[in-house]
Amino acid sequence: MKSTEQALDLSTRIVHHDYEPPQGFKAPQPGVFKASTVIFPSVAAMRTREWKDKSGYTYGLHGTPTTFILEERLCALEGGLQCVLVPSGLAAIGNVSLALLKSGDEVLVPDNAYGPNKSMSESTLAQFGIRTVLYDALDPADLAARITPATRLVWLEAPGSVTLEFPDLPALVRICRERGVTTALDNTWGAGLAFAPFDLSGDGSLGVDVSIHALTKYPSGGGDVLMGSVITRDPVLHMKIKLLHMHLGLGVGANDAEAVLRALPSIGLRYRAHDQAARSLALWMGQQAPVVQVLHPALPGSPGHAHWSALCGPANAGQGAAAGLFSIVIDPRHTQAQVDAFCDGLRLFKIGYSWGGPMSLVVPYDLRGMRSRPAPHLRPGTVVRFSIGLEAVQDLQSDLFQAMRQAFLLE
Ligand SMILES: *Cc1c(COP(=O)(O)O)cnc(C)c1O
């Protein structure tokens, strides 16, 4: 790339990249290189070549031209300097926790974190003598009070999983910085597009230490790949993560890497389309009789809306940016059976986990058992989460309407 690199918009930088095609084959798209074995020209070369950096290739597990390019593009997307790729978003979380924590340490996890992060921390990490402490992400004072001399890692998520409360992320990161505690953000929702995880203040003075991303969601965009990334800007931190990555053998397949590479140039367009459709449907759902609360950080009144506005809001980019997710709370006078019938009655929305693909999805959640303490900002009722795909908004709205009418016996 030429020296104008930094002046270019992100959407340009993830299209134009450092890829050097093989001699005489000047196609702009990266090749799919598959290998376990990489052949060395001599024993001497074998002994000197280093797997820990990108100065050479040693073994398929430690990187190929295809995975190196994907790592570099993801660094451009999130504003990081080093990246490792792992076989899922959850593996990215595990890679970070296991690399940075040891027996006797404490890890702080938001009470509204992605569920499998909480359960891995409370079971697998506990087996290694690592203590998990849950904190209220909406209350920076609660985080501050729970940091002890044994705290080594604080997980962050913006917004929280399912209930989508947006925390005061800069305040949480500042508290950890002051105490010298490493921060790791699950940046799957923001995707490198809603805000810059390594530059939360806009002047480069405040950022998280580690950003993990479930590439399964928007970077893949197709609902057909499981992959995760761990991005850093600190070479020491990166090397700890890279060592564990090597010890556990967490490689990714070249075809999957290629699928993400192919989808990445359109991530900004797709993200905006999911965002616009989700906001319009969330607003409309808020006016429907069975719905007592809509949880979407870009909607005024939603928990943490002011923090979303400050970090991802209109000051940054027109309407601001948000992912294509929202949840609703259904009036508790409706039974669980009616809520289930509503989900079952949807025709275009399919029942299934994950998000970021072209097809809209729905999942009803039972928050009991998912939160360790009461959440007074949530209205009583049943939570249903929607992931908005790329279908026409009018079709999705009609689908929601017909299913509500049936299930909740509306006139
Ligand atoms: C989906 C998701 C993950 C896990 O990603 P997988 O690739 O499905 O393992 C982690 N964090 C968040 C916030 C997610 O939505």
Side-chain angles (χ1 to χ4, degrees):
M1 238 180 307
K2 313 239 165 44
S3 56
T4 50
E5 183 185 341
Q6 279 317 312
L8 298 171
D9 188 77
L10 172 60
S11 55
T12 310
R13 279 187 285 126
I14 57 176
V15 174
H16 290 263
H17 51 92
D18 281 337
Y19 175 62
E20 283 291 339
Q23 277 286 322
F25 185 74
K26 216 161 172 46
Q29 301 313 330
V32 183
F33 293 94
K34 297 179 164 191
S36 48
T37 301
V38 175
I39 294 169
F40 299 92
S42 67
V43 174
M46 182 183 230
R47 289 199 179 119
T48 54
R49 207 176 288 176
E50 183 52 79
W51 65 269
K52 288 180 189 157
D53 59 32
K54 293 182 178 170
S55 59
Y57 300 100
T58 52
Y59 189 55
L61 202 53
H62 306 147
T64 65
T66 309
T67 58
F68 282 3
I69 292 162
L70 180 54
E71 289 169 9
E72 282 158 25
R73 282 189 167 192
L74 292 168
C75 283
L77 179 66
E78 296 204 44
L81 296 176
Q82 310 92 11
C83 174
V84 300
L85 298 174
V86 292
S88 69
L90 187 54
I93 294 171
N95 195 149
V96 173
S97 286
L98 289 171
L100 303 185
L101 297 168
K102 60 178 187 334
S103 179
D105 290 347
E106 289 177 5
V107 57
L108 282 169
V109 181
D111 198 31
N112 60 1
Y114 177 65
N117 186 357
K118 282 171 78 174
S119 56
M120 169 170 40
S121 302
E122 289 174 329
S123 55
T124 305
L125 297 185
Q127 286 181 310
F128 295 103
I130 298 157
R131 198 165 90 92
T132 297
V133 178
L134 299 174
Y135 72 93
D136 179 357
L138 295 186
D139 181 6
D142 185 62
L143 170 68
R146 289 173 196 279
I147 294 178
T148 74
T151 310
R152 288 287 169 277
L153 178 66
V154 171
W155 276 102
L156 303 158
E157 213 172 308
S161 221
V162 181
T163 40
L164 301 166
E165 302 95 340
F166 209 94
D168 186 349
L169 193 58
L172 299 177
V173 172
R174 213 169 280 121
I175 288 165
C176 298
R177 275 274 178 93
E178 284 162 5
R179 310 286 192 90
V181 180
T182 303
T183 50
L185 171 72
D186 183 332
N187 193 32
T188 305
W189 183 95
L193 297 163
F195 60 91
F198 295 101
D199 185 12
L200 300 170
S201 52
D203 62 4
S205 67
L206 188 74
V208 300
D209 297 309
V210 181
S211 173
I212 77 97
H213 195 163
L215 308 178
T216 307
K217 309 289 167 55
Y218 293 116
S220 138
D224 52 359
V225 175
L226 282 155
M227 200 181 292
S229 59
V230 183
I231 296 184
T232 46
R233 291 184 62 86
D234 173 354
V236 176
L237 211 46
H238 169 66
M239 202 42 65
K240 288 185 184 174
I241 288 160
K242 178 105 181 137
L243 264 173
L244 188 94
H245 179 264
M246 187 270 213
H247 291 153
L248 294 185
L250 297 174
V252 303
N255 285 352
D256 284 348
E258 191 257 351
V260 179
L261 276 168
R262 236 159 98 88
L264 216 46
S266 64
I267 188 173
L269 290 174
R270 290 184 282 108
Y271 194 85
R272 275 192 292 283
H274 289 289
D275 177 5
Q276 277 175 11
R279 280 198 230 189
S280 131
L281 289 168
L283 269 173
W284 180 79
M285 279 304 257
Q287 296 155 2
Q288 307 308 307
V291 177
V292 292
Q293 191 174 18
V294 179
L295 302 165
H296 184 310
L299 295 200
S302 205
H305 170 68
H307 301 311
W308 172 84
S309 287
L311 197 63
C312 322
N316 299 318
Q319 293 299 299
L325 291 178
F326 70 92
S327 293
I328 57 172
V329 182
I330 293 180
D331 194 317
R333 70 192 162 86
H334 295 299
T335 63
Q336 183 67 54
Q338 279 182 298
V339 176
D340 292 355
F342 162 62
C343 296
D344 286 336
L346 289 162
R347 294 169 192 151
L348 295 175
F349 284 86
K350 303 300 176 190
I351 300 162
Y353 295 114
S354 202
W355 36 279
M359 193 178 285
S360 292
L361 301 171
V362 62
V363 181
Y365 282 92
D366 185 355
L367 283 191
R368 287 168 309 175
M370 285 175 61
R371 301 283 181 264
S372 71
R373 69 192 78 194
H377 55 278
L378 299 177
R379 298 280 301 273
T382 307
V383 173
V384 177
R385 188 194 70 189
F386 300 96
S387 155
I388 305 305
L390 297 172
E391 304 95 332
V393 174
Q394 191 50 52
D395 291 339
L396 295 176
Q397 187 172 309
S398 304
D399 192 25
L400 291 164
F401 185 69
Q402 65 79 20
M404 272 192 292
R405 230 166 67 165
Q406 285 281 327
F408 304 122
L409 311 170
L410 308 179
E411 287 312 310

